PDB file of all heavy atoms in Angstrom:
ATOM      1  N   HIS A  26      91.070 103.555  62.367  1.00 95.00           N
ATOM      2  CA  HIS A  26      90.698 104.081  60.991  1.00 95.00           C
ATOM      3  C   HIS A  26      89.317 103.476  60.723  1.00 95.00           C
ATOM      4  O   HIS A  26      88.378 104.179  60.031  1.00 95.00           O
ATOM      5  CB  HIS A  26      91.793 103.582  59.963  1.00 95.00           C
ATOM      6  CG  HIS A  26      91.542 104.218  58.571  1.00 95.00           C
ATOM      7  ND1 HIS A  26      91.669 105.605  58.472  1.00 95.00           N
ATOM      8  CD2 HIS A  26      91.207 103.557  57.336  1.00 95.00           C
ATOM      9  CE1 HIS A  26      91.387 105.783  57.171  1.00 95.00           C
ATOM     10  NE2 HIS A  26      91.278 104.699  56.559  1.00 95.00           N
ATOM     11  N   ARG A  27      89.079 102.202  60.980  1.00 96.00           N
ATOM     12  CA  ARG A  27      87.691 101.630  60.736  1.00 96.00           C
ATOM     13  C   ARG A  27      86.641 102.519  61.492  1.00 96.00           C
ATOM     14  O   ARG A  27      85.512 102.659  60.839  1.00 96.00           O
ATOM     15  CB  ARG A  27      87.583 100.177  61.166  1.00 96.00           C
ATOM     16  CG  ARG A  27      86.343  99.481  60.796  1.00 96.00           C
ATOM     17  CD  ARG A  27      86.377  98.051  61.049  1.00 96.00           C
ATOM     18  NE  ARG A  27      86.557  97.793  62.591  1.00 96.00           N
ATOM     19  CZ  ARG A  27      86.306  96.603  63.028  1.00 96.00           C
ATOM     20  NH1 ARG A  27      86.345  95.526  62.349  1.00 96.00           N
ATOM     21  NH2 ARG A  27      86.523  96.477  64.397  1.00 96.00           N
ATOM     22  N   SER A  28      86.913 102.665  62.722  1.00 96.00           N
ATOM     23  CA  SER A  28      85.882 103.551  63.469  1.00 96.00           C
ATOM     24  C   SER A  28      85.677 104.833  62.864  1.00 96.00           C
ATOM     25  O   SER A  28      84.505 105.416  62.851  1.00 96.00           O
ATOM     26  CB  SER A  28      86.174 103.635  64.934  1.00 96.00           C
ATOM     27  OG  SER A  28      87.399 104.329  65.030  1.00 96.00           O
ATOM     28  N   TYR A  29      86.764 105.454  62.417  1.00 97.00           N
ATOM     29  CA  TYR A  29      86.609 106.853  61.620  1.00 97.00           C
ATOM     30  C   TYR A  29      85.814 106.713  60.403  1.00 97.00           C
ATOM     31  O   TYR A  29      84.882 107.423  60.194  1.00 97.00           O
ATOM     32  CB  TYR A  29      88.038 107.315  61.348  1.00 97.00           C
ATOM     33  CG  TYR A  29      88.034 108.482  60.324  1.00 97.00           C
ATOM     34  CD1 TYR A  29      87.616 109.685  60.757  1.00 97.00           C
ATOM     35  CD2 TYR A  29      88.324 108.163  59.006  1.00 97.00           C
ATOM     36  CE1 TYR A  29      87.520 110.727  59.742  1.00 97.00           C
ATOM     37  CE2 TYR A  29      88.267 109.152  58.041  1.00 97.00           C
ATOM     38  CZ  TYR A  29      87.970 110.464  58.473  1.00 97.00           C
ATOM     39  OH  TYR A  29      87.846 111.599  57.566  1.00 97.00           O
ATOM     40  N   LEU A  30      86.045 105.627  59.698  1.00 97.00           N
ATOM     41  CA  LEU A  30      85.210 105.368  58.373  1.00 97.00           C
ATOM     42  C   LEU A  30      83.801 105.025  58.686  1.00 97.00           C
ATOM     43  O   LEU A  30      82.928 105.517  57.988  1.00 97.00           O
ATOM     44  CB  LEU A  30      85.918 104.203  57.585  1.00 97.00           C
ATOM     45  CG  LEU A  30      87.343 104.516  56.904  1.00 97.00           C
ATOM     46  CD1 LEU A  30      87.742 103.280  56.302  1.00 97.00           C
ATOM     47  CD2 LEU A  30      87.201 105.597  55.998  1.00 97.00           C
ATOM     48  N   ARG A  31      83.599 104.360  59.705  1.00 97.00           N
ATOM     49  CA  ARG A  31      82.233 104.063  60.123  1.00 97.00           C
ATOM     50  C   ARG A  31      81.348 105.353  60.463  1.00 97.00           C
ATOM     51  O   ARG A  31      80.281 105.517  59.995  1.00 97.00           O
ATOM     52  CB  ARG A  31      82.006 103.039  61.230  1.00 97.00           C
ATOM     53  CG  ARG A  31      82.445 101.622  60.785  1.00 97.00           C
ATOM     54  CD  ARG A  31      82.222 100.758  61.959  1.00 97.00           C
ATOM     55  NE  ARG A  31      82.368  99.287  61.507  1.00 97.00           N
ATOM     56  CZ  ARG A  31      82.570  98.351  62.318  1.00 97.00           C
ATOM     57  NH1 ARG A  31      82.641  98.441  63.530  1.00 97.00           N
ATOM     58  NH2 ARG A  31      82.711  97.015  61.804  1.00 97.00           N
ATOM     59  N   ARG A  32      82.154 106.209  61.096  1.00 97.00           N
ATOM     60  CA  ARG A  32      81.688 107.558  61.614  1.00 97.00           C
ATOM     61  C   ARG A  32      81.314 108.378  60.250  1.00 97.00           C
ATOM     62  O   ARG A  32      80.088 108.929  60.186  1.00 97.00           O
ATOM     63  CB  ARG A  32      82.461 108.270  62.542  1.00 97.00           C
ATOM     64  CG  ARG A  32      81.649 109.648  63.143  1.00 97.00           C
ATOM     65  CD  ARG A  32      82.753 110.253  64.135  1.00 97.00           C
ATOM     66  NE  ARG A  32      83.881 110.916  63.415  1.00 97.00           N
ATOM     67  CZ  ARG A  32      85.040 110.658  63.567  1.00 97.00           C
ATOM     68  NH1 ARG A  32      85.532 109.719  64.310  1.00 97.00           N
ATOM     69  NH2 ARG A  32      85.973 111.407  62.896  1.00 97.00           N
ATOM     70  N   VAL A  33      82.227 108.388  59.389  1.00 97.00           N
ATOM     71  CA  VAL A  33      82.044 109.195  58.225  1.00 97.00           C
ATOM     72  C   VAL A  33      80.850 108.618  57.421  1.00 97.00           C
ATOM     73  O   VAL A  33      79.979 109.286  56.859  1.00 97.00           O
ATOM     74  CB  VAL A  33      83.384 109.135  57.368  1.00 97.00           C
ATOM     75  CG1 VAL A  33      83.057 109.689  55.923  1.00 97.00           C
ATOM     76  CG2 VAL A  33      84.377 110.016  58.124  1.00 97.00           C
ATOM     77  N   LEU A  34      80.930 107.221  57.317  1.00 97.00           N
ATOM     78  CA  LEU A  34      79.611 106.613  56.601  1.00 97.00           C
ATOM     79  C   LEU A  34      78.350 107.014  57.267  1.00 97.00           C
ATOM     80  O   LEU A  34      77.376 107.193  56.421  1.00 97.00           O
ATOM     81  CB  LEU A  34      79.790 105.083  56.594  1.00 97.00           C
ATOM     82  CG  LEU A  34      78.891 104.208  55.990  1.00 97.00           C
ATOM     83  CD1 LEU A  34      78.715 104.519  54.503  1.00 97.00           C
ATOM     84  CD2 LEU A  34      79.008 102.724  56.201  1.00 97.00           C
ATOM     85  N   ARG A  35      78.239 106.881  58.591  1.00 97.00           N
ATOM     86  CA  ARG A  35      76.890 107.324  59.288  1.00 97.00           C
ATOM     87  C   ARG A  35      76.548 108.787  58.824  1.00 97.00           C
ATOM     88  O   ARG A  35      75.449 109.056  58.641  1.00 97.00           O
ATOM     89  CB  ARG A  35      77.178 107.162  60.757  1.00 97.00           C
ATOM     90  CG  ARG A  35      76.897 105.744  61.239  1.00 97.00           C
ATOM     91  CD  ARG A  35      76.709 105.712  62.729  1.00 97.00           C
ATOM     92  NE  ARG A  35      77.808 106.259  63.521  1.00 97.00           N
ATOM     93  CZ  ARG A  35      78.849 105.759  63.873  1.00 97.00           C
ATOM     94  NH1 ARG A  35      79.195 104.443  63.647  1.00 97.00           N
ATOM     95  NH2 ARG A  35      79.917 106.306  64.569  1.00 97.00           N
ATOM     96  N   GLU A  36      77.618 109.721  58.835  1.00 97.00           N
ATOM     97  CA  GLU A  36      77.337 111.007  58.536  1.00 97.00           C
ATOM     98  C   GLU A  36      76.751 111.061  57.075  1.00 97.00           C
ATOM     99  O   GLU A  36      75.788 111.869  56.829  1.00 97.00           O
ATOM    100  CB  GLU A  36      78.618 111.972  58.819  1.00 97.00           C
ATOM    101  CG  GLU A  36      79.005 112.027  60.241  1.00 97.00           C
ATOM    102  CD  GLU A  36      80.474 112.630  60.337  1.00 97.00           C
ATOM    103  OE1 GLU A  36      81.079 112.979  59.280  1.00 97.00           O
ATOM    104  OE2 GLU A  36      80.787 112.943  61.458  1.00 97.00           O
ATOM    105  N   LYS A  37      77.349 110.403  56.235  1.00 97.00           N
ATOM    106  CA  LYS A  37      77.032 110.484  54.640  1.00 97.00           C
ATOM    107  C   LYS A  37      75.605 109.857  54.561  1.00 97.00           C
ATOM    108  O   LYS A  37      74.818 110.287  53.774  1.00 97.00           O
ATOM    109  CB  LYS A  37      77.995 109.801  53.894  1.00 97.00           C
ATOM    110  CG  LYS A  37      79.349 110.330  53.715  1.00 97.00           C
ATOM    111  CD  LYS A  37      79.307 111.743  53.215  1.00 97.00           C
ATOM    112  CE  LYS A  37      80.593 112.423  53.086  1.00 97.00           C
ATOM    113  NZ  LYS A  37      80.565 113.891  52.681  1.00 97.00           N
ATOM    114  N   GLU A  38      75.370 108.704  55.341  1.00 97.00           N
ATOM    115  CA  GLU A  38      74.045 108.154  55.327  1.00 97.00           C
ATOM    116  C   GLU A  38      72.948 109.160  55.694  1.00 97.00           C
ATOM    117  O   GLU A  38      71.962 109.292  55.210  1.00 97.00           O
ATOM    118  CB  GLU A  38      74.003 106.848  55.966  1.00 97.00           C
ATOM    119  CG  GLU A  38      74.752 105.578  55.293  1.00 97.00           C
ATOM    120  CD  GLU A  38      74.868 104.446  56.114  1.00 97.00           C
ATOM    121  OE1 GLU A  38      74.637 104.548  57.394  1.00 97.00           O
ATOM    122  OE2 GLU A  38      75.144 103.386  55.624  1.00 97.00           O
ATOM    123  N   GLU A  39      73.307 109.837  56.784  1.00 97.00           N
ATOM    124  CA  GLU A  39      72.234 110.769  57.413  1.00 97.00           C
ATOM    125  C   GLU A  39      72.085 111.878  56.337  1.00 97.00           C
ATOM    126  O   GLU A  39      70.981 112.422  56.202  1.00 97.00           O
ATOM    127  CB  GLU A  39      72.903 111.312  58.722  1.00 97.00           C
ATOM    128  CG  GLU A  39      72.075 112.338  59.361  1.00 97.00           C
ATOM    129  CD  GLU A  39      70.640 111.909  59.721  1.00 97.00           C
ATOM    130  OE1 GLU A  39      70.506 110.585  59.895  1.00 97.00           O
ATOM    131  OE2 GLU A  39      69.728 112.669  59.846  1.00 97.00           O
ATOM    132  N   GLU A  40      73.240 112.456  55.876  1.00 96.00           N
ATOM    133  CA  GLU A  40      73.158 113.427  54.782  1.00 96.00           C
ATOM    134  C   GLU A  40      72.330 112.944  53.615  1.00 96.00           C
ATOM    135  O   GLU A  40      71.440 113.759  53.058  1.00 96.00           O
ATOM    136  CB  GLU A  40      74.597 113.782  54.292  1.00 96.00           C
ATOM    137  CG  GLU A  40      74.738 114.993  53.380  1.00 96.00           C
ATOM    138  CD  GLU A  40      76.081 115.202  53.073  1.00 96.00           C
ATOM    139  OE1 GLU A  40      76.891 115.192  53.949  1.00 96.00           O
ATOM    140  OE2 GLU A  40      76.563 115.548  51.921  1.00 96.00           O
ATOM    141  N   ASN A  41      72.578 111.741  53.089  1.00 97.00           N
ATOM    142  CA  ASN A  41      71.725 111.202  52.001  1.00 97.00           C
ATOM    143  C   ASN A  41      70.190 111.054  52.249  1.00 97.00           C
ATOM    144  O   ASN A  41      69.387 111.370  51.535  1.00 97.00           O
ATOM    145  CB  ASN A  41      72.380 109.814  51.493  1.00 97.00           C
ATOM    146  CG  ASN A  41      73.641 110.010  50.801  1.00 97.00           C
ATOM    147  OD1 ASN A  41      74.001 111.047  50.369  1.00 97.00           O
ATOM    148  ND2 ASN A  41      74.363 108.875  50.711  1.00 97.00           N
ATOM    149  N   ARG A  42      70.010 110.710  53.579  1.00 97.00           N
ATOM    150  CA  ARG A  42      68.570 110.565  54.049  1.00 97.00           C
ATOM    151  C   ARG A  42      67.925 112.006  53.910  1.00 97.00           C
ATOM    152  O   ARG A  42      66.858 112.137  53.511  1.00 97.00           O
ATOM    153  CB  ARG A  42      68.586 110.017  55.475  1.00 97.00           C
ATOM    154  CG  ARG A  42      67.124 109.692  55.872  1.00 97.00           C
ATOM    155  CD  ARG A  42      67.163 109.398  57.382  1.00 97.00           C
ATOM    156  NE  ARG A  42      67.610 110.343  58.343  1.00 97.00           N
ATOM    157  CZ  ARG A  42      66.973 111.537  58.526  1.00 97.00           C
ATOM    158  NH1 ARG A  42      65.799 111.718  58.087  1.00 97.00           N
ATOM    159  NH2 ARG A  42      67.503 112.406  59.475  1.00 97.00           N
ATOM    160  N   LYS A  43      68.577 112.974  54.383  1.00 96.00           N
ATOM    161  CA  LYS A  43      68.028 114.274  54.390  1.00 96.00           C
ATOM    162  C   LYS A  43      67.826 114.718  52.917  1.00 96.00           C
ATOM    163  O   LYS A  43      66.789 115.342  52.688  1.00 96.00           O
ATOM    164  CB  LYS A  43      68.956 115.258  55.146  1.00 96.00           C
ATOM    165  CG  LYS A  43      68.996 115.138  56.615  1.00 96.00           C
ATOM    166  CD  LYS A  43      69.825 116.091  57.346  1.00 96.00           C
ATOM    167  CE  LYS A  43      69.882 115.932  58.792  1.00 96.00           C
ATOM    168  NZ  LYS A  43      70.752 116.801  59.454  1.00 96.00           N
ATOM    169  N   VAL A  44      68.793 114.550  52.123  1.00 96.00           N
ATOM    170  CA  VAL A  44      68.572 114.828  50.611  1.00 96.00           C
ATOM    171  C   VAL A  44      67.382 114.072  50.056  1.00 96.00           C
ATOM    172  O   VAL A  44      66.700 114.638  49.316  1.00 96.00           O
ATOM    173  CB  VAL A  44      69.949 114.539  49.945  1.00 96.00           C
ATOM    174  CG1 VAL A  44      69.761 114.691  48.453  1.00 96.00           C
ATOM    175  CG2 VAL A  44      71.017 115.560  50.323  1.00 96.00           C
ATOM    176  N   ALA A  45      67.332 112.766  50.422  1.00 96.00           N
ATOM    177  CA  ALA A  45      66.275 111.988  49.912  1.00 96.00           C
ATOM    178  C   ALA A  45      64.890 112.680  50.238  1.00 96.00           C
ATOM    179  O   ALA A  45      63.922 112.654  49.548  1.00 96.00           O
ATOM    180  CB  ALA A  45      66.393 110.559  50.300  1.00 96.00           C
ATOM    181  N   GLU A  46      64.868 112.993  51.673  1.00 96.00           N
ATOM    182  CA  GLU A  46      63.600 113.607  52.023  1.00 96.00           C
ATOM    183  C   GLU A  46      63.350 114.868  51.322  1.00 96.00           C
ATOM    184  O   GLU A  46      62.076 115.125  50.967  1.00 96.00           O
ATOM    185  CB  GLU A  46      63.732 113.902  53.679  1.00 96.00           C
ATOM    186  CG  GLU A  46      63.612 112.703  54.517  1.00 96.00           C
ATOM    187  CD  GLU A  46      63.742 113.012  56.022  1.00 96.00           C
ATOM    188  OE1 GLU A  46      63.909 114.295  56.354  1.00 96.00           O
ATOM    189  OE2 GLU A  46      63.860 112.179  56.766  1.00 96.00           O
ATOM    190  N   SER A  47      64.286 115.644  50.957  1.00 96.00           N
ATOM    191  CA  SER A  47      63.989 116.928  50.472  1.00 96.00           C
ATOM    192  C   SER A  47      63.638 116.744  49.027  1.00 96.00           C
ATOM    193  O   SER A  47      62.753 117.461  48.509  1.00 96.00           O
ATOM    194  CB  SER A  47      65.215 117.930  50.517  1.00 96.00           C
ATOM    195  OG  SER A  47      66.169 117.558  49.610  1.00 96.00           O
ATOM    196  N   VAL A  48      64.166 115.637  48.400  1.00 96.00           N
ATOM    197  CA  VAL A  48      63.770 115.313  47.031  1.00 96.00           C
ATOM    198  C   VAL A  48      62.304 114.887  46.988  1.00 96.00           C
ATOM    199  O   VAL A  48      61.494 115.439  46.184  1.00 96.00           O
ATOM    200  CB  VAL A  48      64.581 114.255  46.479  1.00 96.00           C
ATOM    201  CG1 VAL A  48      64.083 113.530  45.088  1.00 96.00           C
ATOM    202  CG2 VAL A  48      65.976 114.742  46.084  1.00 96.00           C
ATOM    203  N   LEU A  49      61.819 114.008  47.999  1.00 96.00           N
ATOM    204  CA  LEU A  49      60.508 113.551  48.128  1.00 96.00           C
ATOM    205  C   LEU A  49      59.615 114.695  48.462  1.00 96.00           C
ATOM    206  O   LEU A  49      58.516 114.855  47.718  1.00 96.00           O
ATOM    207  CB  LEU A  49      60.375 112.544  49.176  1.00 96.00           C
ATOM    208  CG  LEU A  49      60.931 111.192  48.838  1.00 96.00           C
ATOM    209  CD1 LEU A  49      60.901 110.231  50.057  1.00 96.00           C
ATOM    210  CD2 LEU A  49      60.328 110.530  47.592  1.00 96.00           C
TER     211      LEU A  49
END
C-alpha cells in the first residue's frame, strides 16, 4: 500500500509541476 501511495504521490507531484508550468 505504501508503494502504491508513493506512486500516486509521484503522479500527483508531476501533474502539479505541469500545472505550475502552465500557470507560469
Side-chain angles (χ1 to χ4, degrees):
H26 191 63
R27 182 176 68 179
S28 69
Y29 165 75
L30 291 175
R31 284 182 175 167
R32 189 178 73 246
V33 169
L34 178 65
R35 277 194 306 271
E36 290 170 1
K37 293 297 177 187
E38 286 173 342
E39 178 64 22
E40 188 179 314
N41 287 344
R42 188 188 60 74
K43 288 179 181 177
V44 168
E46 282 179 8
S47 75
V48 166
L49 290 176

